[in-house]
Amino acid sequence: MERPTPRTIAMVARLLLLCLAAAATSGGLHAHAQLDNNGFISIDCGFPGQTGYVDNKTTLFYTTDAGFIDADAGMNRNISVEFINPPIPTSWHSVRSFPGGTRNCYTLISLVSGQKYLIRGKFLYGNYDGLNRLPIFDLYIGVNFWTTVNIPKADTAVYAEAIMVMLVDSVQVCLMNTESGTPFISGLDLRPLKTKLYPLANETQALVLLHRFNFGPTDGTVIRYPDDPYDRIWFPFVDATDWNEISTEMKVNTDDRLFEPPQAVMQTAISPRNVSRNIEFTLGLDSFPSDHSLGYIYAMYFCELQQLPRNALRQFFIYINGFLGKTATTIAFTPAYLAEGSRYSLEPFPYSQYMVSLVATANSTLPPTISAIELFSAIPTTTLGTNSQDVSAITAIKEMYQVHKNWMGDPCVPKALGWDGLTCSYDVSKPPAITSVNMSFNGLHGAISPNFVNLKDVQYMDLSNNNLTGSIPDALSRLQSLVLLDLSNNKLNGSIPSGLLKKIQDGSLDVRYGNNPSLCTNGNSCQPAKGGSKLAIYIVVPVLVIAVLVLVPILIFLWHRKRKQAADIGTIGVRLASDGDGNSSLRLENRRFTYMELNTITNTFQRVLGQGGFGSVFHGILENGTQVAVKLRSHSSKQGVKQFLAEAQVLTRIHHKNLVSMIGYCKDVDHMALVYEYMPEGTLREHIAGMQLLI
Ligand SMILES: *[C@@H]1O[C@H](CO)[C@@H](O)[C@H](O)[C@H]1NC(C)=O
Ligand SMILES: *[C@@H]1O[C@H](CO)[C@@H](O)[C@H](O)[C@H]1NC(C)=O
Ligand SMILES: *[C@@H]1O[C@H](CO)[C@@H](O)[C@H](O)[C@H]1NC(C)=O
Ligand SMILES: *[C@@H]1O[C@H](CO)[C@@H](O)[C@H](O)[C@H]1NC(C)=O
Ligand SMILES: *[C@@H]1O[C@H](CO)[C@@H](O)[C@H](O)[C@H]1NC(C)=O
Ligand SMILES: *[C@@H]1O[C@H](CO)[C@@H](O)[C@H](O)[C@H]1NC(C)=O
Ligand SMILES: *[C@@H]1O[C@H](CO)[C@@H](O)[C@H](O)[C@H]1NC(C)=O
Ligand SMILES: *[C@@H]1O[C@H](CO)[C@@H](O)[C@H](O)[C@H]1NC(C)=O
C-alpha cells in the first residue's frame, strides 16, 4: 500500500526534474502568435527577452511571458544556482514574482470559445529571492477560485492544473496575494482538449487535478508530450515491493473513449505480486483545499495486457472507501484485451480520502490489474465576471493610455479588487457592468478613446485634469445613462458636438469643459469639424437657404412684436460670475423670468420633458405661444451654481444651426432656471414638409 504524502509528491516531482535534466536553450524563434502548431501555449515566466526557445526534451516551444502580462507587473528573477545543479530544464530556471499588488494576472488570448482546455501553472521556488521564505497564495481562473499554491520546499516543483470549458475567447490566470508570502510563477501552459474528453468538465464546473498516476513503470519514467498528445503529465506510481509490472509493446485501443489516456500509459499496468492479494492504495485529499470544491471525481483506466488462456479469468470488484463505487462498478469488471476501459465518477462526491480496493471475484483465476488513475476536485465556474463588452472597452482604454494602478484581472469582480476609479453595478440577474469611470489626474494624453462609447451603462465619466487633445467625440451622446461628463482642464479643441449640446439642453447631461483653451464654445466663430459629414452640408445648406427665404418675413414680423413687448418686459443685462476657470464673464442679454412667471408658463410645472442629475426640465408656453423648455435646478443638484452659470453662458453664445436657442433664465435666492426654445420631436421635418407645400 502506498499513500503519497506531500513528501513523496515532492520526491516524484524532483525525479521529473532529474529526468528532464538534459535540456538547453536554442533561441531564435519569434513568438508573434501565442499558439504553437499544436494549439499549445507554453510560457516560461521570467525568461529574459522577447522571444523563447525550443525545449530539447519535449520539443515544445517555450515563449517568454512578455505580451501575456503587463510589462510592469512583477519582476523577473532567477532561482538560486544550487537548485540548477544537477541541471534541470530551462523552463524552471526563472520565475516572475509579484511583490506588488493583490492580484496579478496573465491573459491568454486567441482561444476558441466553447473549447475544452487544460491549463497548468508551474511553481519552483528555488529560493529565487534569497529569503528562504516559502509562500502560500491563491490562483484564480478569471474570477473563479482555482486552487491554493502551497510551496512545501524550495526544491519542490508544484503543479496546478485545471480542465475547463472556455466560455469566451480569452482567459486570465490570476495570482492572488493572501498575505502569506510573495506570489510567483515559473511557467504557464495551455493545451486544447477534445470537447468530449473529461465529460465532467462542463460550462459550470472545472476539474482541478489532485493526482495523475501511471501504474507500471518502476524506472521513474514520466509520460508527457509527445507521448501524450495533450501533454498531460503522468507521474509513475511506484511500489515495487507489492506489485509486479505488466507491460506490452502492442497497441492498446484508446480511440473514441472519454479520456484518451496515452499509449505509453496504457501499455503498462500492475498486478499484485502475491496472486491471492488485492490491489489497494489510498490517495490523500486532505492536503488540498476543499472549501471551494464541489467534491471529488476519479477516473481509473484498465486494460488486459496479457493474452489469457481459454480457462483463465481476470475479474474484480472496484471498491472506493470500502463501498462499491456508485456507478457501473457495482458489477464485477473484466478488462478487455488491448482495449482501454475506464471507470469514472458521474458526479462529484465529498470524501476526504480516496481508498481504492480492487478485489478479485471468487470466479477469478487471476489477480486484479490497473493501468492509471486521475483524481480531481470539481470547482464551480459560475461566478460572473464583468460583461464582456465593458471588459473589452475598458481593456482597450487601459492599453491606449497605458494605465497602471491596480488595473489587472476583472474590472469589477471581486468587488474588493475592482479597478481604481471605476464603480460597477452588481445585479444578480446579469453580469456586473461599469457605471462610472473616474480617470481624472491620470496624466492621460492623446485623443479621447472611442472605446468610452462602448461603456453602455456608464453614468459618470470624469476625464478632467489630463492632457487630452483633439476633439470631443459626438458618439459620447449615445451613452444613454450618462448624466455627467467632466472634460475640464484638458487640451481639447474643436467645438462641443451637437449631440452633446442637445443633451445638455434637454437637461439629461451635465458636461463640464472649462479650461480647455483651444475648445471653441462660441458657435459663430468655430470652423466646422474637419471631415464632417458631407450629408449634413447637403441637407443643411439647402434647408437653411429655404428657411431664410421663408422665415425672414416671419422674423421681421416677430421682431416688431418683440420690440413692442420689450417695452413691457425690459431687457435686462446681467453680469454672471466667472465660472472660476478663467473664462471671461458675460452679459446675458436675455429675458429674466421670475419664479412666479415660470410657474405660470409651465402651468405649475406639470409636464416633465426630461430629468437629469441637476433637476428636471418642464414644458411651458410663453405669452406669445412659443413653446419653451424650462430647466430648473433642484436644491439637491450635484451641479453647482458655478457650473449652472457656465452652462448658461455657453448656451447663450451658441447659435447652432440645429439647435434651439436660449430665451431667458431665472435666478433668485431660491431658484435657478434656464428657458430654451422647445422643438418637439419631428418639428424640423414638419417645417420642411410645410415649406415644400408652400413651394
Ligand atoms: C538542444 O538542441 C540544440 C539544437 O536543436 C542543440 O544545439 C543543443 O546541443 C541541444 N542541447 C542538448 C542538451 O541536447
Ligand atoms: C537570469 O539568468 C539569465 C541567463 O542565465 C540572464 O540572462 C538573466 O539576465 C538573469 N535574470 C535575472 C533577473 O537575473
Ligand atoms: C499471499 O497472500 C495470502 C493472503 O493474504 C497469504 O495467506 C499468503 O501467505 C501470501 N503468500 C505469500 C508468499 O506471501
Ligand atoms: C455540469 O456537470 C454537473 C454534474 O457534475 C451538473 O450538475 C451540471 O448541471 C453540468 N452543467 C452543465 C452546464 O451541463
Ligand atoms: C461465478 O461463476 C458462477 C458459475 O459460472 C456464476 O453463477 C456466478 O454468477 C459467477 N460470479 C460472478 C461474480 O461472476
Ligand atoms: C474623481 O476623482 C477625483 C479624485 O481623484 C475627485 O476629486 C473627483 O470628484 C472624482 N470625480 C467624480 C465624478 O466623482
Ligand atoms: C500635461 O503635460 C505636461 C507636460 O507633458 C505636464 O507638465 C502636465 O503636468 C500635464 N498635465 C496634466 C494635468 O496631466
Ligand atoms: C485639434 O487637435 C488635434 C491634435 O492635437 C489636431 O490634429 C487638430 O488639427 C486640431 N483641430 C483643430 C480644429 O484645431
Side-chain angles (χ1 to χ4, degrees):
M1 259 197 21
E2 167 84 341
R3 184 195 158 101
T5 59
R7 191 186 303 268
T8 53
I9 292 167
M11 186 274 294
V12 168
R14 182 77 180 147
L15 205 58
L16 167 79
L17 297 184
L18 295 174
C19 296
L20 299 182
T25 65
S26 81
L29 288 180
H30 288 260
H32 288 307
Q34 288 199 326
L35 304 172
D36 72 6
N37 294 339
N38 299 302
F40 289 6
I41 299 175
S42 313
I43 304 173
D44 182 348
C45 303
F47 187 79
Q50 296 293 317
T51 60
Y53 57 89
V54 173
D55 179 75
N56 285 22
K57 177 79 182 179
T58 59
T59 69
L60 293 174
F61 179 73
Y62 280 82
T63 173
T64 72
D65 57 5
F68 295 93
I69 191 161
D70 289 358
D72 62 343
M75 49 182 70
N76 292 351
R77 306 296 291 269
N78 287 330
I79 62 168
S80 173
V81 283
E82 67 204 87
F83 297 97
I84 299 179
N85 195 14
I88 58 173
T90 307
S91 67
W92 295 100
H93 289 194
S94 59
V95 303
R96 189 183 279 254
S97 82
F98 302 97
T102 306
R103 173 173 62 178
N104 285 279
C105 304
Y106 281 84
T107 305
L108 309 179
I109 60 165
S110 310
L111 310 187
V112 178
S113 169
Q115 163 101 44
K116 203 167 278 184
Y117 287 93
L118 180 158
I119 300 181
R120 180 166 52 219
K122 309 192 299 179
F123 310 87
L124 177 67
Y125 172 63
N127 198 21
Y128 73 85
D129 52 3
L131 298 172
N132 265 315
R133 230 177 265 155
L134 305 171
I136 301 173
F137 51 91
D138 285 347
L139 287 184
Y140 278 71
I141 296 179
V143 295
N144 288 284
F145 175 82
W146 173 3
T147 190
T148 297
V149 176
N150 186 348
I151 308 293
K153 281 176 69 195
D155 66 349
T156 302
V158 173
Y159 292 88
E161 183 190 302
I163 293 174
M164 68 178 304
V165 176
M166 217 59 84
L167 294 179
V168 285
D169 60 2
S170 69
V171 67
Q172 292 203 311
V173 172
C174 300
L175 293 88
M176 207 76 87
N177 189 324
T178 52
E179 303 194 342
S180 312
T182 302
F184 74 92
I185 185 165
S186 308
L188 188 59
D189 296 337
L190 179 100
R191 313 285 183 242
L193 300 176
K194 280 184 199 155
T195 303
K196 65 171 187 185
L197 297 190
Y198 297 95
L200 280 146
N202 62 23
E203 282 76 6
T204 53
Q205 71 185 14
L207 304 183
V208 177
L209 183 69
L210 304 179
H211 297 289
R212 177 181 287 128
F213 285 117
N214 176 21
F215 292 97
T218 48
D219 59 356
T221 306
V222 174
I223 308 285
R224 62 174 297 184
Y225 188 86
D227 292 326
D228 183 340
Y230 301 110
D231 193 30
R232 290 164 292 189
I233 299 176
W234 301 82
F235 289 114
F237 196 112
V238 188
D239 189 345
T241 54
D242 275 1
W243 300 328
N244 281 330
E245 179 185 350
I246 315 171
S247 66
T248 183
E249 304 270 276
M250 312 267 281
K251 183 176 187 298
V252 174
N253 182 3
T254 61
D255 297 346
D256 201 30
R257 309 277 171 178
L258 292 176
F259 301 94
E260 295 190 12
Q263 284 297 313
V265 166
M266 292 311 297
Q267 283 170 333
T268 61
I270 52 161
S271 73
R273 200 156 269 191
N274 178 339
V275 292
S276 49
R277 296 283 286 271
N278 301 319
I279 291 177
E280 289 186 324
F281 58 91
T282 300
L283 300 178
L285 305 174
D286 38 22
S287 61
F288 297 94
S290 54
D291 47 333
H292 296 275
S293 158
L294 298 168
Y296 300 97
I297 284 169
Y298 65 85
M300 290 186 267
Y301 309 105
F302 305 96
C303 181
E304 181 56 75
L305 299 181
Q306 292 166 326
Q307 186 132 40
L308 302 184
R310 261 188 164 288
N311 55 353
L313 175 67
R314 196 192 301 275
Q315 187 188 49
F316 50 91
F317 290 111
I318 300 167
Y319 292 92
I320 290 153
N321 289 339
F323 302 102
L324 282 174
K326 263 187 162 178
T327 62
T329 53
T330 45
I331 52 165
F333 178 70
T334 298
Y337 180 57
L338 295 183
E340 176 239 323
S342 60
R343 286 293 176 271
Y344 60 96
S345 2
L346 295 175
E347 57 186 37
F349 63 96
Y351 294 146
S352 63
Q353 64 167 12
Y354 194 73
M355 192 176 80
V356 177
S357 309
L358 307 178
V359 180
T361 65
N363 292 358
S364 184
T365 63
L366 291 165
T369 181
I370 183 170
S371 303
I373 184 169
E374 289 179 283
L375 191 59
F376 300 92
S377 77
I379 55 162
T381 53
T382 44
T383 305
L384 292 179
T386 306
N387 85 58
S388 55
Q389 189 186 7
D390 281 5
V391 173
S392 321
I394 200 73
T395 304
I397 290 165
K398 169 188 160 178
E399 268 153 29
M400 173 164 175
Y401 298 117
Q402 295 288 305
V403 180
H404 300 305
K405 305 199 277 190
N406 72 337
W407 285 31
M408 275 268 197
D410 190 276
C412 302
V413 184
K415 236 177 189 170
L417 294 180
W419 291 4
D420 287 345
L422 303 187
T423 55
C424 305
S425 63
Y426 299 92
D427 187 333
V428 282
S429 60
K430 55 181 191 192
I434 297 171
T435 53
S436 83
V437 180
N438 188 347
M439 297 179 77
S440 65
F441 296 102
N442 271 224
L444 309 186
H445 49 87
I448 294 177
S449 167
N451 282 292
F452 283 114
V453 178
N454 296 326
L455 298 170
K456 293 287 182 235
D457 290 313
V458 89
Q459 296 164 12
Y460 300 93
M461 195 181 289
D462 189 345
L463 305 178
S464 64
N465 297 287
N466 287 298
N467 272 324
L468 293 171
T469 51
S471 57
I472 302 173
D474 194 21
L476 285 171
S477 64
R478 293 207 302 264
L479 289 171
Q480 294 299 318
S481 310
L482 192 64
V483 296
L484 173 69
L485 175 61
D486 194 342
L487 302 171
S488 53
N489 291 302
N490 277 293
K491 292 178 177 156
L492 297 167
N493 64 13
S495 54
I496 314 244
S498 61
L500 286 177
L501 277 176
K502 255 197 173 110
K503 295 194 110 183
I504 294 171
Q505 286 196 342
D506 70 19
S508 59
L509 178 62
D510 177 6
V511 181
R512 299 175 191 170
Y513 39 76
N515 215 1
N516 279 282
S518 313
L519 192 65
C520 161
T521 48
N522 182 346
N524 286 329
S525 61
C526 282
Q527 300 293 320
K530 272 182 199 158
S533 161
K534 280 184 182 161
L535 189 65
I537 293 169
Y538 293 146
I539 292 172
V540 168
V541 170
V543 165
L544 281 180
V545 169
I546 294 168
V548 166
L549 289 178
V550 175
L551 292 179
V552 160
I554 300 172
L555 286 175
I556 291 172
F557 168 74
L558 287 177
W559 182 69
H560 278 289
R561 258 181 68 173
K562 214 171 185 173
R563 251 165 71 107
K564 251 184 81 190
Q565 283 179 3
D568 311 330
I569 300 162
T571 307
I572 309 162
V574 179
R575 196 181 160 80
L576 284 177
S578 157
D579 64 2
D581 292 328
N583 290 347
S584 58
S585 58
L586 161 105
R587 290 172 66 84
L588 279 180
E589 303 291 345
N590 285 60
R591 175 172 168 186
R592 181 171 191 164
F593 292 86
T594 66
Y595 186 70
M596 280 309 294
E597 280 176 312
L598 293 185
N599 197 40
T600 312
I601 287 166
T602 60
N603 195 10
T604 67
F605 299 99
Q606 251 184 4
R607 190 172 148 210
V608 179
L609 295 174
Q611 197 103 34
F614 59 85
S616 302
V617 180
F618 301 91
H619 179 259
I621 301 176
L622 293 186
E623 307 87 332
N624 64 6
T626 308
Q627 297 201 56
V628 292
V630 178
K631 177 176 175 177
L632 184 66
R633 178 181 169 272
S634 76
H635 289 290
S636 59
S637 170
K638 290 190 189 105
Q639 190 184 32
V641 176
K642 268 189 198 172
Q643 281 91 13
F644 190 82
L645 293 177
E647 182 184 337
Q649 186 178 348
V650 165
L651 286 172
T652 51
R653 280 201 221 156
I654 291 164
H655 303 283
H656 197 284
K657 49 190 176 287
N658 292 332
L659 286 169
V660 292
S661 55
M662 181 158 147
I663 289 174
Y665 64 96
C666 163
K667 184 173 182 325
D668 60 28
V669 187
D670 294 320
H671 307 100
M672 279 200 297
L674 297 179
V675 181
Y676 316 104
E677 193 183 331
Y678 174 62
M679 260 202 198
E681 203 80 49
T683 306
L684 186 63
R685 258 206 319 275
E686 283 159 23
H687 276 316
I688 293 167
M691 280 182 256
Q692 279 167 344
L693 284 181
L694 285 177
I695 298 164

